Amino acid sequence: MRIADVVKRKGGDVVTVRPDATVTELLGLLSDHKIGAVVVSDDGEGVHGIVSERDVVRHLHTDGAGLLEAPVRQIMTVEVHTCTPEDSLEDMASRMTDRRIRHVPVLQDDKLSAIVSIGDIVKFRIDTLQTERDQLRDYIQQ
């Protein structure tokens, strides 16, 4: 199984935010789209960083409420781990677990095409196992 299989099932929509957007604007995007992280991009194709709700919480704790008017670039993670649609699902799950990251942008031809979360990967694996179980049960009952 590949990352492309997960993206095909969940869709390739990616919410992005510009580096100069405020943290308040970021919070609006996270809330409106019911997501946990946003790719930081000037043009919606490149990946300049990633920022999650955890980043906001950590910085609020240290920087205080003034952070809400700060630019996203101030709190984003610059070293972004990415993958491609051809990457193995099992390898990506392992890398995400080892690196303790929850969201990975998917690049195709060096352009942002999707984002996958550890939850997306777990859900895909569970759905696949349930489908296999149902097929085996049907086969045995025939």
Side-chain angles (χ1 to χ4, degrees):
M1 290 181 281
R2 300 173 309 128
I3 292 296
D5 299 320
V6 175
V7 172
K8 182 189 275 185
R9 183 171 292 172
K10 76 165 271 205
D13 293 338
V14 185
V15 177
T16 63
V17 66
R18 294 181 52 82
D20 58 349
T22 66
V23 173
T24 298
E25 291 171 307
L26 164 69
L27 291 172
L29 287 172
L30 293 171
S31 177
D32 292 347
H33 295 280
K34 297 181 173 112
I35 53 177
V38 175
V39 174
V40 181
S41 176
D42 282 330
D43 59 7
E45 292 183 351
V47 176
H48 300 93
I50 191 165
V51 63
S52 71
E53 55 197 5
R54 283 183 169 189
D55 295 321
V56 175
V57 169
R58 279 191 209 104
H59 284 87
L60 268 174
H61 176 71
T62 58
D63 301 342
L67 176 74
L68 296 174
E69 295 308 314
V72 168
R73 77 169 59 84
Q74 187 173 312
I75 66 168
M76 71 182 188
T77 300
V78 179
E79 184 182 327
V80 182
H81 298 281
T82 62
C83 65
T84 68
E86 293 76 32
D87 285 342
S88 159
L89 189 62
E90 291 75 19
D91 290 345
M92 184 51 53
S94 180
R95 283 190 275 166
M96 290 174 83
T97 302
D98 292 345
R99 293 175 179 159
R100 300 183 60 110
I101 54 177
R102 292 181 167 190
H103 301 87
V104 176
V106 181
L107 302 181
Q108 187 160 18
D109 300 323
D110 293 325
K111 292 183 181 176
L112 182 63
S113 66
I115 188 168
V116 293
S117 72
I118 194 69
D120 296 331
I121 291 173
V122 169
K123 181 180 182 337
F124 183 85
R125 291 173 90 180
I126 289 171
D127 290 349
T128 300
L129 288 171
Q130 287 177 338
T131 299
E132 289 173 2
R133 181 201 65 201
D134 292 345
Q135 290 172 344
L136 284 170
R137 186 187 64 232
D138 291 346
Y139 176 76
I140 290 170
Q141 289 178 349
Q142 288 180 359

